[in-house]
Amino acid sequence: MKRSITTRKLRAAAHTICAAGVLLVATAVIAQARMDCTKVPRNHWMGRVAISQIAHASGYPVIKAISLEGSCYKVTALTALGLKADAYFNPVTGDVTAAWISVD
């Protein structure tokens, strides 16, 4: 009986990940055309530590690197499931503007 509950939970998680992936891909296609997250000057941006904390709270528990791309912070990380991800954050608001998750 426990096995069927686990299987249901895994299937539900897989469906959630797939739905989130579709949304992220759609967002990524839009963001790929322009990686402008903000027009606010850099002296008003959050620091890398703050972005790291936001990324961790957003579901990226293992942060590999944080870099600048355009006017966005690019966070290379692992998801809670251990999948490699690249997420782009607005440096002023901390919002995710685009994300890619690698499933290979």
Side-chain angles (χ1 to χ4, degrees):
M1 190 74 174
K2 286 184 181 181
R3 187 174 194 182
S4 63
I5 292 170
T6 303
T7 302
R8 275 189 251 142
K9 285 182 181 179
L10 287 174
R11 284 185 185 161
H15 289 285
T16 302
I17 290 169
C18 288
V22 169
L23 178 62
L24 291 174
V25 168
T27 302
V29 169
I30 294 167
Q32 190 173 19
R34 185 177 128 168
M35 289 311 294
D36 288 334
C37 292
T38 186
K39 302 263 186 235
V40 175
R42 283 192 184 182
N43 61 335
H44 296 287
W45 289 12
M46 291 183 212
R48 291 175 191 259
V49 172
I51 291 295
S52 177
Q53 292 170 342
I54 291 170
H56 189 272
S58 298
Y60 304 102
V62 179
I63 308 299
K64 297 287 190 174
I66 298 176
S67 58
L68 290 176
E69 190 165 311
S71 62
C72 304
Y73 277 118
K74 176 184 176 185
V75 176
T76 301
L78 297 178
T79 66
L81 297 175
L83 301 173
K84 184 181 178 216
D86 288 320
Y88 292 81
F89 289 82
N90 179 307
V92 177
T93 65
D95 295 336
V96 175
T97 59
W100 288 264
I101 298 175
S102 175
V103 292
D104 48 299

